């Protein structure tokens, strides 16, 4: 473990839309910053198709996030693809990864969310062997195969639509009797798609197959043969680092004020990890911008 000799004005943890936008704003304020993000691009890079980011029309999540990463790198800002494992608040913040300790006067946590698991037996063992949490990454493996999608929100429907471009049949398993959560535009597309079959009022109870998924058993007792199943049941916030520093949470999200400040001095949060009302790319970007501006103002005042 090495200690980075530099003291940064600001360390941004997370390289999704919130962290990257914070970096762009901080660079324009000429702050000395570091971005640490395990997966540059973040969750947004997993979206198969984004149609609601102004000026982009239709764009894949990967393409949009590559543009944002490039935008940050064009400011000569370093993005370290490392996992932060610990934050210690001393006089300044010490941010520890497996490789090094980085020190920053201010921190913006933009660590987003992780995919929610179904919590069934053998889910971990079969992940990557027919169980997937990322349709954008894995849909291409299902050419002429049969795939299932568990869930009933935007992610589930967009996953099913993407899979239908490759698979010969796609099932959606949803525990309610209709879709009420997703954008109506996605529901309409699913309704029109002949390859997609919806099975409502069921839960997946068991994964079938020994070394690879062969199907699922449903709560109504039926079994469905599948080559793979995509779990698209939402996300949980990555709040472990915030909890270490005594940051106040609200229903497991970080409580922030209008300036993206938390209860811990010098510790800001932005994006899907906060208690905001809309978890989208545009709101994550906006919060990242505000967090950078707030950090800058405190640094200028010498707080
Ligand atoms: C399938 C899918 C489709 C979507 N489609 C749309 C859409 O069409 N339009 C839209 O606006 N939104 C969409 N979203 C939502 C959008 O992706 C999120 O709102 C957005 O990505 C939130 O940005 P963020 O920066 O807060 O977090 P994330 O994008 O989740 O980024 C978090 C970053 O933090 C890093 N990180 C986490 N923990 C650590 C750690 N310990 N150490 C270092 N780095 C860490 C991650 O690696 C990542 O770089 C979609 C989401 C999904 C899952």
């Amino acid at each position: 473990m090495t200690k980075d000799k530099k003291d940064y004005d600001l360390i941004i943890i997370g390289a999704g839309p919130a962290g990257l936008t914070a970096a762009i704003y901080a660079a324009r304020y000429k702050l000395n910053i570091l971005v640490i993000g395990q997966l540059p691009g973040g969750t947004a890079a997993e979206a198969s198709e984004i149609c609601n980011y102004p000026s982009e029309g239709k764009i894949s999540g990967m393409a949009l996030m590559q543009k944002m990463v490039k935008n940050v790198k064009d400011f000569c800002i370093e993005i370290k693809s490392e996992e932060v494992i610990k934050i210690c608040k001393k006089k300044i913040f010490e941010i520890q990864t497996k490789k090094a300790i980085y020190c920053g006067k201010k921190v913006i946590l933009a660590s987003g969310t992780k995919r929610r698991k179904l919590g069934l037996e053998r889910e971990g063992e079969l992940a990557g062997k027919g169980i997937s949490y990322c349709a954008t990454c894995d849909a291409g493996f299902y050419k002429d195969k049969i795939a299932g999608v568990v869930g009933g929100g935007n992610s589930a429907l967009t996953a099913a639509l993407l899979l239908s471009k490759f698979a010969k049949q796609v099932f959606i398993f949803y525990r309610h009797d209709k879709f009420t959560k997703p954008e109506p535009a996605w529901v309409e597309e699913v309704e029109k798609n002949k390859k997609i079959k919806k099975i409502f009022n069921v839960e997946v109870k068991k994964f079938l197959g020994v070394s690879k998924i062969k199907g699922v058993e449903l709560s109504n007792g039926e079994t469905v043969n599948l080559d793979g199943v995509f779990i698209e049941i939402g996300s949980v916030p990555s709040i472990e680092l915030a909890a270490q520093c005594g940051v106040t949470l609200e229903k497991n999200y970080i409580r922030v004020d209008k300036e993206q400040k938390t209860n811990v001095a010098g510790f800001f949060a932005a994006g899907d990890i906060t208690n905001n009302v809309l978890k989208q790319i545009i709101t994550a970007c906006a919060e990242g911008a505000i967090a950078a501006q707030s950090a800058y103002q405190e640094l200028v005042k010498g707080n």
Side-chain angles (χ1 to χ4, degrees):
M1 173 83 54
T2 56
K3 187 159 178 171
D4 192 322
K5 289 198 180 74
K6 238 194 238 169
D7 272 1
Y8 294 93
D9 291 327
L10 172 65
I11 296 183
I12 298 164
I13 303 170
L20 294 172
T21 309
I24 292 166
Y25 273 70
R28 298 278 300 159
Y29 292 129
K30 303 278 177 211
L31 298 181
N32 168 21
I33 65 167
L34 174 68
V35 180
I36 311 175
Q38 208 175 356
L39 297 170
T43 311
E46 294 177 13
S48 51
E49 194 173 272
I50 292 168
C51 307
N52 56 6
Y53 192 78
S55 85
E56 290 294 346
K58 262 189 202 179
I59 187 166
S60 74
M62 185 60 80
L64 179 66
M65 294 320 296
Q66 278 171 349
K67 282 180 157 186
M68 280 196 209
V69 168
K70 180 177 181 306
N71 200 169
V72 168
K73 289 191 172 162
D74 286 347
F75 281 104
C76 298
I77 298 166
E78 190 177 1
I79 303 176
K80 292 207 182 274
S81 298
E82 294 175 32
E83 183 187 7
V84 174
I85 48 178
K86 200 168 174 195
I87 306 179
C88 287
K89 182 169 168 32
K90 299 189 174 163
K91 224 173 146 193
I92 54 173
F93 291 94
E94 283 190 3
I95 291 161
Q96 191 179 325
T97 70
K98 281 182 187 146
K99 290 189 186 157
I101 297 175
Y102 304 97
C103 296
K105 293 177 194 153
K106 308 282 171 195
V107 168
I108 297 176
L109 185 66
S111 51
T113 54
K114 292 189 275 260
R115 296 303 191 92
R116 182 172 279 137
K117 308 267 189 309
L118 266 182
L120 292 179
E121 256 179 57
R122 302 172 60 236
E123 187 170 350
E125 180 191 320
L126 290 167
K129 295 173 186 153
I131 293 182
S132 172
Y133 300 88
C134 178
T136 307
C137 320
D138 297 337
F141 300 127
Y142 287 84
K143 191 164 171 3
D144 299 326
K145 295 191 174 173
I146 304 175
V149 176
V150 184
N154 277 332
S155 319
L157 269 55
T158 51
L161 287 165
L162 177 65
L163 278 159
S164 73
K165 293 183 182 165
F166 302 93
K168 61 181 175 196
Q169 174 140 48
V170 181
F171 291 92
I172 300 180
F173 306 111
Y174 188 41
R175 60 187 172 158
H176 297 299
D177 59 359
K178 57 178 178 234
F179 297 124
T180 51
K181 289 202 269 176
E183 288 172 32
W186 294 129
V187 178
E188 251 175 58
E189 279 203 43
V190 164
E191 298 294 351
K192 279 193 296 200
N193 193 307
K194 298 242 174 0
K195 281 191 186 173
I196 301 177
K197 184 169 178 203
K198 298 155 293 184
I199 306 189
F200 289 122
N201 294 315
V202 289
E203 286 184 30
V204 169
K205 285 288 170 199
K206 201 172 170 185
F207 296 118
L208 307 174
V210 182
S211 55
K212 207 190 155 309
I213 284 283
K214 289 266 183 299
V216 290
E217 188 179 302
L218 303 175
S219 49
N220 61 7
E222 279 179 28
T223 60
V224 180
N225 293 333
L226 299 169
D227 296 297
V229 58
F230 288 74
I231 317 291
E232 296 285 352
I233 55 169
S235 307
V236 283
S238 305
I239 39 122
E240 299 79 5
L241 296 170
Q244 286 170 7
C245 288
V247 167
T248 302
L249 303 177
E250 193 176 290
K251 293 185 182 155
N252 264 342
Y253 291 87
I254 296 179
R255 187 192 288 166
V256 287
D257 66 11
K258 283 185 179 164
E259 293 168 294
Q260 304 304 130
K261 291 180 184 171
T262 69
N263 60 309
V264 175
F267 193 117
F268 305 82
D272 277 11
I273 197 174
T274 71
N275 60 340
N276 68 14
V277 290
L278 182 64
K279 309 242 178 279
Q280 289 278 278
I281 297 167
I282 192 151
T283 43
C285 291
E287 290 192 8
I290 296 168
Q293 143 102 349
S294 302
Y296 169 68
Q297 281 174 342
E298 284 194 359
L299 286 161
V300 167
K301 285 185 201 151
N303 290 348

